Amino acid sequence: MAALLRLCLRPVPRRLLLLLPREPAGLSRAASSSGPASSVSPSALAGPSELPPGFAGAQPPEVNLYDQNPEYHGFSADPVVDVWNMRLAFFFGISLAIVVGSTFVHYLPDHG
Amino acid sequence: MLKILLPTIMLFPTTWLAPMKWLWPISLTHSLIIALLSLTWFKWDSDIGWNFSNQYLAMDPLSMPLLILTCWLLPLMIMASQNHMNSEPIIRQRIYLTLLISLQSFLIMAFSATELIMFYVMFEATLIPTLIIITRWGNQTERLNAGIYFLFYTLIGSLPLLIALLTLQNSLGTLSMITMQYSQPSELLLWADKFWWTASVMAFLVKMPLYGVHLWLPKAHVEAPIAGSMILAAILLKLGGYGMMRIIIMLNPLTKELAYPFIILAIWGIIMTSSICLRQTDLKSLIAYSSVSHMGLVAGAILIQTPWSFAGAITLMIAHGLISSALFCLANTNYERTHSRTLLLARGIQIALPLMTTWWFLTNLANLALPPTPNLMGELLIISSLFNWSNWTIILTGLGVLITASYSLYMFLMTQRGPIQNHIPSLIPSHTREHLLLTLHLLPMLLLILKPELIMGWT
């Protein structure tokens, strides 16, 4: 079955196509007017099994990090770094920048 | 000025010397401290119009909100990029952060430059890290084409600007913004002066972008990774608006006649690009065209040069910067889960991620300029001043507001409401990081509702 599928993937060589009975020219609908040079040679087409190993587009398999760490915060796969990153981001971002920062801006003297 | 610029430059050794595990927390913390310190720039105690000045750098009510927004955006970009950069080798993570930090440094120097050639050099310098971010870390093959469009559209606009600035230097003897406002306006009577006027503004109109020279923007915004989209939408477009506001004082009296086709293009562009938004299948492309639409309002406002229009332009630039960046972050939360930007493929997300819907809702409401957001304040000032300039503009700007509301609601309803797609039965729950990221976009917006005069310029 797999061999059959592989046959389906590969294009039929041109020499085998030439052995097929040809229709009269007047009845053919899809006769190509371009020469043989314009058709893609079978060797240029590669099936998926012929991709080089370590293909550059391959992504690492996706892992749900919540499975490994139920307390995942979205920062890092390492749980300790993840928690500390979350704490630092909230402390400097919310407690300092938003709260202290907006208090500072509120008490600035008016200008203009 | 240097107390922010030097810590920003010190982020370079921080990025390269930080241990691998702690790279992102350390750089995030460092950049948040810089953002906190940048809030001191809100303090205004100058009688000469320029504050925090040294020999090369200074600040005024136009550049101050843009500088603070720039400093605020770096920690947000770092937070947004952490997830998709996790799988990269450590060297590439450091390079990525280095590019973001170099962008930050160039932008600080660009906005605080007192001399036009320094502004020009920094304006051009921001192109390089952005190009590298788009072409190296973009996800699709179209990123190469996007990089080409981005680079060459901007360069074709800005090389004539260099000639124009050198011509101005030749005639005035200086390009210092501090003294330029006091120099005698030159009589621009020659035919060649019209070319000089066009050369001076074309770079900024391409950057904004003006409808007609806007084609680089949807490509660049869509193909860039999340940090690239954030910095492009929030800050780099505003470089164009800022530059135009600086140079346009030297271009009178020609502006009264020569600005007409560009004002018409800008206002017509609002209608065209917001209509295109209603037909977009790609979520990031929708947000990108939305940016063009809003910047059309800003471009029209700057070209008519009235006090209200300038105040509206500055307000809308800051408000749009925050909201547009938030929208790209929201689109990225979808993309990281479904790996698709197609609107039809990620519908009914409210059922799977209900908390994220809150952020989608608030951000879309701000995008459609719901009162009392600063987006509305900016748009109202601009629309009123355009109406004062010519009554007929109200038809186009009013229609633009209606279509903006339509596509913002369309974006919300398409992504959040309706039945969830069968091929995405379960999505990874929202991370704390994502909620914090959107909080840090929307909380400043909320605070600016309470004190909008901070971002209204010289009012």
Side-chain angles (χ1 to χ4, degrees):
Chain A
M1 186 64 179
L4 199 65
L5 283 171
R6 264 203 299 279
L7 276 174
C8 296
L9 282 171
R10 291 177 190 278
V12 178
R14 198 167 171 77
R15 60 179 184 279
L16 290 179
L17 279 174
L18 289 171
L19 294 175
L20 291 170
R22 291 189 189 183
E23 291 177 6
L27 291 179
S28 68
R29 286 183 191 169
S32 169
S33 55
S34 52
S38 65
S39 62
V40 178
S41 61
S43 58
L45 295 171
S49 56
E50 292 178 10
L51 283 170
F55 179 47
Q59 300 288 329
E62 284 194 16
V63 172
N64 185 355
L65 285 160
Y66 281 109
D67 292 333
Q68 298 163 3
N69 176 15
E71 298 287 319
Y72 181 57
H73 292 292
F75 291 98
S76 168
D78 182 336
V80 173
V81 176
D82 189 51
V83 155
W84 272 103
N85 199 335
M86 183 268 298
R87 287 174 182 164
L88 288 170
F90 270 87
F91 177 70
F92 285 97
I94 303 282
S95 308
L96 286 189
I98 299 282
V99 176
V100 173
S102 59
T103 314
F104 168 77
V105 171
H106 173 73
Y107 282 107
L108 282 175
D110 291 334
H111 63 83
Chain B
M1 187 58 60
L2 285 180
K3 65 180 173 291
I4 304 293
L5 189 56
L6 283 176
T8 309
I9 291 168
M10 290 311 291
L11 264 169
F12 288 114
T14 306
T15 311
W16 285 94
L17 297 175
M20 192 171 81
K21 254 188 358 178
W22 297 98
L23 169 65
W24 292 88
I26 288 174
S27 47
L28 177 65
T29 308
H30 189 150
S31 53
L32 277 170
I33 294 171
I34 294 173
L36 174 66
L37 286 176
S38 73
L39 294 175
T40 54
W41 280 334
F42 274 128
K43 186 170 178 296
W44 187 256
D45 55 6
S46 166
D47 290 326
I48 59 160
W50 295 89
N51 208 358
F52 296 101
S53 56
N54 64 30
Q55 200 174 355
Y56 304 106
L57 308 171
M59 220 167 64
D60 78 338
L62 167 58
S63 53
M64 177 251 287
L66 290 165
L67 277 163
I68 298 172
L69 180 64
T70 308
C71 293
W72 186 244
L73 210 75
L74 180 62
L76 302 188
M77 287 195 287
I78 292 173
M79 243 193 296
S81 307
Q82 264 183 274
N83 198 24
H84 77 87
M85 292 301 290
N86 260 338
S87 53
E88 299 248 356
I90 187 67
I91 291 288
R92 283 193 210 145
Q93 294 184 23
R94 294 190 204 270
I95 292 174
Y96 190 79
L97 282 171
T98 305
L99 288 167
L100 296 182
I101 296 158
S102 60
L103 255 178
Q104 169 93 341
S105 319
F106 292 145
L107 283 166
I108 291 177
M109 286 192 276
F111 283 124
S112 55
T114 51
E115 214 257 336
L116 279 174
I117 290 288
M118 181 174 177
F119 170 74
Y120 175 80
V121 170
M122 293 302 143
F123 178 89
E124 295 293 291
T126 57
L127 292 179
I128 297 163
T130 318
L131 180 71
I132 298 174
I133 289 172
I134 294 173
T135 52
R136 173 60 187 83
W137 277 279
N139 281 315
Q140 279 75 38
T141 50
E142 289 83 11
R143 69 188 189 275
L144 303 172
N145 200 22
I148 300 279
Y149 266 71
F150 168 68
L151 186 71
F152 284 99
Y153 263 73
T154 315
L155 281 180
I156 287 171
S158 64
L159 284 173
L161 173 65
L162 178 63
I163 311 292
L165 288 178
L166 294 173
T167 314
L168 189 59
Q169 157 87 20
N170 216 15
S171 60
L172 279 184
T174 177
L175 283 176
S176 171
M177 290 183 216
I178 301 175
T179 53
M180 245 167 48
Q181 52 192 325
Y182 301 114
S183 60
Q184 292 296 324
S186 44
E187 292 178 355
L188 301 167
L189 303 168
L190 302 173
W191 179 249
D193 292 325
K194 294 185 171 43
F195 284 100
W196 176 77
W197 186 95
T198 316
S200 301
V201 297
M202 214 53 223
F204 305 118
L205 289 172
V206 170
K207 196 79 178 174
M208 285 202 72
L210 181 72
Y211 179 72
V213 288
H214 69 286
L215 285 177
W216 65 270
L217 186 142
K219 291 184 195 296
H221 277 60
V222 164
E223 301 302 331
I226 180 60
S229 299
M230 286 167 76
I231 194 74
L232 271 165
I235 303 292
L236 290 175
L237 303 190
K238 283 68 184 171
L239 259 182
Y242 172 79
M244 209 151 67
M245 287 168 94
R246 287 290 187 217
I247 199 99
I248 213 157
I249 49 169
M250 297 309 299
L251 302 180
N252 285 322
L254 276 179
T255 310
K256 283 196 183 64
E257 292 130 19
L258 291 179
Y260 266 102
F262 300 105
I263 299 174
I264 292 165
L265 265 177
I267 300 176
W268 182 240
I270 302 169
I271 305 292
M272 293 303 291
T273 48
S274 45
S275 308
I276 290 169
C277 284
L278 287 168
R279 299 297 298 160
Q280 286 301 311
T281 53
D282 181 333
L283 181 56
K284 277 183 87 169
S285 192
L286 200 161
I287 302 167
Y289 276 108
S290 157
S291 291
V292 182
S293 175
H294 285 103
M295 287 298 108
L297 263 176
V298 174
I302 296 173
L303 286 166
I304 65 173
Q305 292 183 267
T306 67
W308 269 24
S309 73
F310 268 35
I314 305 169
T315 313
L316 187 57
M317 283 200 285
I318 303 299
H320 173 265
L322 283 169
I323 290 304
S324 177
S325 174
L327 280 170
F328 277 114
C329 290
L330 286 165
N332 190 51
T333 61
N334 268 8
Y335 183 76
E336 284 183 352
R337 286 165 176 78
T338 61
H339 295 292
S340 168
R341 295 190 308 257
T342 309
L343 271 169
L344 281 174
L345 290 181
R347 300 170 68 179
I349 301 288
Q350 183 171 9
I351 296 167
L353 305 174
L355 293 177
M356 202 49 75
T357 303
T358 317
W359 302 125
W360 272 103
F361 187 54
L362 290 173
T363 315
N364 277 305
L365 287 181
N367 195 37
L368 61 85
L370 190 80
T373 56
N375 305 65
L376 177 78
M377 301 304 136
E379 288 192 12
L380 268 184
L381 285 167
I382 294 173
I383 292 171
S384 316
S385 50
L386 278 169
F387 179 69
N388 188 36
W389 176 77
S390 164
N391 292 359
W392 295 103
T393 56
I394 196 73
I395 299 170
L396 292 169
T397 50
L399 198 58
V401 168
L402 280 175
I403 304 177
T404 303
S406 312
Y407 73 67
S408 299
L409 283 175
Y410 167 72
M411 184 175 19
F412 175 70
L413 294 173
M414 278 293 282
T415 52
Q416 305 304 307
R417 295 296 166 85
I420 195 162
Q421 298 292 291
N422 289 334
H423 72 281
I424 42 168
S426 67
L427 293 169
I428 295 170
S430 305
H431 306 143
T432 313
R433 176 184 61 83
E434 290 164 341
H435 287 303
L436 178 64
L437 183 60
L438 289 152
T439 310
L440 291 178
H441 277 99
L442 293 175
L443 266 181
M445 174 68 45
L446 201 69
L447 295 168
L448 284 172
I449 292 173
L450 302 173
K451 195 162 182 161
E453 61 264 25
L454 290 171
I455 58 169
M456 275 185 171
W458 291 277
T459 50

